[in-house]
Amino acid sequence: MTMGPMSGGAGTAGTAGTAGTAGTAGTAGTAGTAGTAGAPVVGLDGMLGYPAYSGAFPSPMVTNALITTREAAIAGKAVWSIHEAKQNLLRQPFLPPSAIVDWMPRSKVAGLQTSVRSALIEMELLKNLSYAYDAKGKNVELTAGGISLVKVHCPDKTVFDKQLSLVESFSALRAERTAEILTQVVPQTSHWSSIAALSPDRHRYTWELIGIGLRFAMMIVMRFKYDFNVKRAWQRSAVIQPMILTPGHAAYPSGHATEAAFVAEFLPLLMGDPSHPFSNEYPSRDDDNIIIGMEKHAGEEYGMARQLNRLALRVAENRVVAGLHYPIDTIAGQALGCMLARYMVWLTGDQPAPWLQMKALPVGAIAFSSAVTGHDDRPGSDSFVHEQHGIEKDSVKQPLPAAPKNEAIVLRDLWVLARREWVNS
């Protein structure tokens, strides 16, 4: 296994004084973006990434965060609702060999260093995207070759002012959520691994794709933030007092919500997860991989898709608890992240699984209308994007056409390499 540069190790000097903020840059391991096994995921090699999850560098904070986050995901618990746990547990989904396209990735793609592959794929992801604005700059629409991916409306300043009381009320949860908030500053590698059975050794190409997708999502959401330029809560009120440093960019939409929602949608599509909400009947198999019947698991309580979705909502909610975001920021971010994940998979020209086709995955989400009031716009605790309050009813309905051939050849090659890591997993 090839280890990425463990810049996070430099931060371990700061662990002698647990409040030593000089070490916090290292604990995130943010400079180690080459990551374990060459995967470009920030924090993968740092003290809040795999070393902590594996026990190489024991971290009670990471362990505690995983425990409390799991409790919330299993119960469906959030600020507004608690769902009774049931015992209908699903096994981990797997891909039969027949679900993998007969495609031999070009050797020159597999032989590239990860930073070069990443740069080439980012070009493929960005080249057909464009933005459309209304006259007042309150609505920004992201399109790809004339296809509307997502439209985000920026509410008036008075809406964000009203949401200050919600941000202040969320601060009561800071003490119990401290471990989660601190470990989720960087991408939530340990949390995703825990839910999706991700390993740095077995799934190096999957991690590489996740890293590229996160950077793609970050670039897009930063453009929306720049256009809307919504002030953070601590800029509007002296009582918010964020528990961690507020990033140096605008609030709306939430970047953490965008990235977490991206992964929550992307991983089930990569793995052909039968619990994805748009999945059709899934062939159940015996121990010899012989089909013995057809089952329907779409949206299952304990399926991977819903668990990742709940994690994404929890991550987004924790940013509100920390005093960094308004609740309304997270809903726009969730819509954006989900649509970007579907677009990235669409560009590969592949199908997630025989029971989960791209034509069944609509895009065109519209986040909010001009009638947002401020107090009643809260992220749902157990809803997929197309079901969420704040996403205009029936807006997520535009089917994607057939993907153009040879539009993203490097992405397609890496996608196939990553998919093969999940055959019969």
Side-chain angles (χ1 to χ4, degrees), residues 202-257:
R202 296 180 61 195
H203 306 118
R204 56 171 299 189
Y205 292 119
T206 296
W207 276 121
E208 187 174 339
L209 269 180
I210 291 173
I212 292 169
L214 289 175
R215 180 166 173 80
F216 171 52
M218 180 273 291
M219 288 188 285
I220 300 300
V221 74
M222 286 300 167
R223 176 59 184 267
F224 278 82
K225 286 174 177 282
Y226 175 79
D227 289 331
F228 293 138
N229 196 30
V230 173
K231 290 183 178 181
R232 297 273 183 168
W234 74 332
Q235 294 174 288
R236 296 183 182 275
S237 172
V239 304
I240 300 302
Q241 301 173 26
M243 62 179 286
I244 56 178
L245 182 65
T246 300
H249 48 76
Y252 182 84
S254 166
H256 271 67

Side-chain angles (χ1 to χ4, degrees), residues 286-345:
D286 61 16
D287 293 338
D288 296 319
N289 202 29
I290 298 174
I291 296 176
I292 57 176
M294 300 297 289
E295 302 174 356
K296 184 83 173 199
H297 295 298
E300 281 275 1
E301 177 84 0
Y302 292 112
M304 185 180 69
R306 190 172 293 278
Q307 291 297 301
L308 286 170
N309 185 67
R310 286 178 176 172
L311 169 63
L313 291 165
R314 180 80 167 192
V315 169
E317 185 178 272
N318 282 339
R319 301 295 282 182
V320 181
V321 174
L324 307 179
H325 278 288
Y326 310 93
I328 203 170
D329 298 344
T330 71
I331 302 174
Q334 288 156 11
L336 183 58
C338 180
M339 298 300 103
L340 290 176
R342 292 181 185 178
Y343 175 66
M344 184 169 170
V345 175

Side-chain angles (χ1 to χ4, degrees), residues 50-63:
Y50 268 117
Y53 188 43
S54 69
F57 294 98
S59 172
M61 185 169 64
V62 170
T63 302

